[in-house]
Amino acid sequence: MKKFLLKLSFYLAAGILVFAVLGSFADGNTDDNYMHFAVEKPHNIILGDSRGSQAVLPSILKDKLQQKFDNFSLNVVQSPYGPIYLEALKRKINPETKNGLFILTVDPWNLSLNKNVKSSKDFPEEHSPLKNMYSYDWSPNYEYLLKNYSRSWFKIFTEREDKGRSNTYLHKDGWMEVNVNMQKDSVAKREFEKIDIFYTDLVKTQSLSQKRLNSLEDIIKFLKPKGTVYLVRIPASEKLMKLESSYSPDFNEKMKTISKRHGIKFFDFSSKAKDYMYTDGNHMYKESGKVFTAQIADSILSNTKKLK
């Protein structure tokens, strides 16, 4: 019996060692969320959904504002504005933050909810890693891999960054870099699937949620004592902006009201849809994201000068 237990403990130890080694290779290729939980806690944060995760580049903000940023935007299912996002933010942010800059990207979708959802336990983000994660600054983060990585851990090793970056690569600063075919036909196909099918169907089942609007204000209240908060509306293609205007015609007015109530600035870029390129009608192409992020930084700098 002792020999059996000794052999068993040996195999268990060997297995744990193998998984520990494999997990140490986790990086921006591992999945679309891992790096959000494997970096130091930031003082300056970008919040939002996938529109924000792709359109706002912390590296550009750092160059323009001379401060290091972290883009803590996931996607509309996992990080819409709500209680779970707020609690995750509390664990993510550096507790010593005093003069931070916070960019909260908003659109009708990350402030909406399915009309059939009546209880908070049925919110889609209940299944987000933001719900089950405790540690946000471990590297490697085995907690994340154990709880939220469902593929073979050998994939972590074989698909690591050293072998070439994936088409969706999550940088250490939280920016999601997406590389896709930008030929006209390819873009048109993705735009049709995203707008004519996905968002057109979404309009039928969702509505702007007062609960999410309240949570947005709760996040603003949490962040204001720690620094300066900005609301930013990121544009999408003209076709999607037209759909959003029909879906929530008073959205900008609601954002202005919230901004005024809390004494913060709202930068609305929704009228500039033509100025940028999009991979699928919703997400800004990375080269346009660089231009757009610089414009956010310029708006912040201009506002800072006015306040002095």
Side-chain angles (χ1 to χ4, degrees):
M1 186 65 176
K2 288 183 179 179
K3 288 184 178 180
F4 171 75
L5 292 175
L6 186 63
K7 286 183 178 180
L8 180 62
S9 62
F10 172 78
Y11 286 123
L12 285 174
I16 291 171
L17 179 60
V18 169
F19 278 100
V21 172
L22 292 174
S24 70
F25 287 95
D27 57 24
N29 274 5
T30 300
D31 67 12
D32 290 348
N33 291 328
Y34 173 77
M35 290 309 301
H36 290 303
F37 302 90
V39 294
E40 63 183 25
K41 295 189 175 186
H43 292 273
N44 309 294
I45 293 180
I46 303 147
L47 299 179
D49 54 17
S50 59
R51 192 180 290 184
S53 73
Q54 296 178 41
V56 186
L57 284 69
S59 59
I60 303 296
L61 294 174
K62 182 179 180 182
D63 289 343
K64 300 276 287 184
L65 301 176
Q66 306 303 307
Q67 296 196 58
K68 187 178 179 181
F69 280 79
D70 182 278
N71 193 328
F72 191 42
S73 308
L74 279 67
N75 57 63
V76 74
V77 175
Q78 296 180 323
S79 64
Y81 289 104
I84 289 175
Y85 204 6
L86 173 56
E87 292 307 310
L89 173 61
K90 291 177 180 179
R91 293 190 290 271
K92 174 75 171 178
I93 194 170
N94 189 308
E96 303 299 319
T97 300
K98 294 180 180 179
N99 297 299
L101 287 175
F102 313 114
I103 299 171
L104 279 55
T105 66
V106 292
D107 57 62
W109 315 111
N110 61 19
L111 287 162
S112 288
L113 195 59
N114 189 290
K115 297 173 185 177
N116 293 323
V117 172
K118 305 300 180 185
S119 171
S120 59
K121 66 181 178 63
D122 296 321
F123 282 19
E125 63 266 34
E126 284 288 323
H127 304 287
S128 166
L130 299 181
K131 169 71 174 182
N132 65 26
M133 285 297 296
Y134 173 79
S135 59
Y136 282 69
D137 57 346
W138 293 358
S139 182
N141 195 325
Y142 293 107
E143 181 197 2
Y144 179 89
L145 296 174
L146 287 167
K147 289 180 176 179
N148 298 293
Y149 187 75
S150 59
R151 303 174 71 204
S152 165
W153 283 35
F154 287 97
K155 293 286 187 181
I156 299 173
F157 175 74
T158 60
E159 297 177 2
R160 66 192 185 277
E161 182 183 347
D162 287 347
K163 294 294 184 179
R165 290 184 176 179
S166 60
N167 290 336
T168 56
Y169 177 77
L170 187 63
H171 288 252
K172 290 181 179 180
D173 60 15
W175 174 50
M176 173 61 74
E177 180 179 0
V178 175
N179 292 290
V180 291
N181 186 337
M182 289 300 292
Q183 293 293 320
K184 188 175 180 180
D185 289 347
S186 295
V187 173
K189 182 177 183 296
R190 291 192 298 269
E191 184 175 294
F192 176 81
E193 293 172 350
K194 181 68 68 173
I195 301 175
D196 294 79
I197 298 176
F198 179 74
Y199 278 109
T200 300
D201 286 343
L202 211 60
V203 166
K204 301 172 185 176
T205 60
Q206 291 204 152
S207 62
L208 211 64
S209 166
Q210 189 57 52
K211 290 181 179 179
R212 294 217 183 278
L213 291 167
N214 292 343
S215 289
L216 174 63
E217 295 198 61
D218 289 340
I219 288 174
I220 293 170
K221 291 174 187 175
F222 169 71
L223 290 173
K224 273 199 71 178
K226 302 177 182 298
T228 306
V229 181
Y230 297 95
L231 286 187
V232 176
R233 186 173 184 186
I234 303 174
S237 67
E238 290 182 273
K239 189 174 184 179
L240 185 50
M241 296 311 295
K242 184 178 180 180
L243 182 64
E244 289 184 7
S245 294
S246 174
Y247 173 73
S248 181
D250 60 345
F251 183 78
N252 282 344
E253 291 306 313
K254 288 183 182 295
M255 295 303 103
K256 290 175 183 177
T257 298
I258 289 174
S259 299
K260 186 175 181 180
R261 182 181 298 135
H262 296 282
I264 64 175
K265 195 71 177 178
F266 172 45
F267 299 134
D268 175 25
F269 293 91
S270 60
S271 64
K272 300 182 180 294
K274 290 182 180 179
D275 294 354
Y276 313 102
M277 294 175 62
Y278 308 91
T279 59
D280 57 5
N282 180 40
H283 301 102
M284 202 174 285
Y285 180 52
K286 63 180 183 179
E287 296 304 323
S288 286
K290 294 174 183 178
V291 175
F292 175 68
T293 305
Q295 292 172 339
I296 294 176
D298 289 340
S299 297
I300 291 174
L301 288 170
S302 177
N303 183 67
T304 302
K305 290 177 181 178
K306 290 179 182 177
L307 295 175
K308 290 182 177 180

